[in-house]
Amino acid sequence: MNFKKHIPNLITLGNLFCGTLATIFAVENDFVFAGLFVVIGILFDFFDGFAARLLNVSGELGKQLDSLADMVTSGVVPGIIMYNLMIENTIDYTNFSEETAITTYLPFLGLIITLGASYRLAKFNIDTRQSESFIGLPTPAMSLFVVSLPLILEYSTFEFAHNLITNNYFLIAITLVLTYLMNAEIPLFSLKFKEYSIKNNVVKYLFLIISLLMIITLQYLSIPLIILFYVVLSLISNSRKSI
């Protein structure tokens, strides 16, 4: 038995395990641990591909397994978190009744993100154009955007961000925009480096430097801003190439 060929799949299963744990914590409104296990799962998602290339054991099984794991970590979990955020915004604790929480259907719109992630992952598996870059926002990026929202509420002192996140119309707009971006025909650069010269990687280095500065200064608020910056920088880079 060639154990080497199973190493990437075991790493992928680590992603799935973390996604399952994140799902449990998200259901229980423990967003800190949900976010933690999403991040660990995304790291597993990165290293399974790296291990497959390093060991030269890429295969169709690994590709399908990777998408199934991503569906949980970067599909189900953000949908549950968005749903729970809308539930929290909907409940009036000064006049709370169990009927109010049950009969309010608006938060179910947050699950559109899960549907969009599923569609995105299915498209990715049959799209041969995304080996060097992405077309549409990758699901891990979307997931990081969503899991950061309750952490911003908990730990950020920026009042304008709190006001936005506690507004369900804003959350619905974010849900629809992220779902669109995942499935849009928008080329986005990848952070994979073939070589490390500044001339050929200026966009990637610019993104990494500005992202690091945002993390230092804005902390959790930096996460959605970095995702938005990634999309905008990709659009600017694409427009310059077309000139």
Side-chain angles (χ1 to χ4, degrees):
M1 180 177 179
N2 185 5
F3 179 74
K4 183 177 74 169
K5 69 178 183 180
H6 296 291
I7 293 176
N9 291 341
L10 289 174
I11 298 174
T12 302
L13 290 176
N15 176 16
L16 179 57
F17 179 69
C18 289
T20 304
L21 291 177
T23 301
I24 295 170
F25 286 116
V27 169
E28 296 178 347
N29 276 16
D30 190 337
F31 298 125
V32 173
F33 276 100
L36 174 64
F37 281 107
V38 164
V39 170
I40 297 173
I42 290 173
L43 289 175
F44 276 125
D45 183 41
F46 172 80
F47 283 111
D48 64 2
F50 178 79
R53 291 188 294 271
L54 182 66
L55 299 172
N56 195 27
V57 290
S58 300
E60 189 62 27
L61 174 62
K63 181 179 179 181
Q64 299 301 325
L65 188 62
D66 186 73
S67 286
L68 290 172
D70 281 348
M71 185 58 223
V72 178
T73 306
S74 298
V76 174
V77 176
I80 293 172
I81 289 176
M82 189 64 79
Y83 168 83
N84 281 338
L85 283 174
M86 291 190 194
I87 282 284
E88 287 293 312
N89 293 345
T90 301
I91 296 174
D92 180 2
Y93 289 100
T94 62
N95 186 28
F96 175 77
S97 68
E98 186 176 352
E99 182 181 358
T100 303
I102 294 174
T103 58
T104 302
Y105 299 108
L106 189 67
F108 287 102
L109 292 175
L111 299 178
I112 291 174
I113 277 185
T114 300
L115 305 182
S118 175
Y119 197 82
R120 152 81 189 180
L121 289 165
K123 281 177 56 180
F124 182 83
N125 275 1
I126 60 174
D127 194 337
T128 58
R129 300 171 297 168
Q130 302 192 54
S131 58
E132 301 296 332
S133 61
F134 299 109
I135 298 176
L137 186 68
T139 53
M142 176 278 295
S143 186
L144 288 174
F145 189 110
V146 174
V147 300
S148 72
L149 299 180
L151 300 180
I152 293 169
L153 278 180
E154 183 70 24
Y155 298 107
S156 174
T157 58
F158 293 93
E159 186 177 351
F160 78 94
H162 285 225
N163 292 336
L164 288 175
I165 297 170
T166 53
N167 184 315
N168 273 352
Y169 293 108
F170 173 77
L171 294 181
I172 291 170
I174 288 295
T175 296
L176 297 176
V177 169
L178 289 175
T179 300
Y180 168 75
L181 288 176
M182 281 190 290
N183 293 284
E185 290 288 311
I186 302 174
L188 303 175
F189 66 86
S190 169
L191 287 176
K192 296 176 183 177
F193 287 84
K194 289 184 177 180
E195 45 87 25
Y196 297 95
S197 69
I198 295 177
K199 179 180 178 181
N200 295 326
N201 296 286
V202 62
V203 172
K204 296 176 184 179
Y205 284 127
L206 177 65
F207 172 75
L208 291 173
I209 292 170
I210 293 180
S211 295
L212 180 60
L213 291 174
M214 283 197 284
I215 290 170
I216 293 171
T217 56
L218 301 175
Q219 299 179 332
Y220 287 112
L221 183 58
S222 69
I223 298 173
L225 295 179
I226 287 171
I227 305 301
L228 291 175
F229 177 56
Y230 169 60
V231 174
V232 171
L233 190 59
S234 293
L235 293 174
I236 294 173
S237 177
N238 293 337
S239 64
R240 289 184 64 185
K241 288 178 182 178
S242 62
I243 294 176

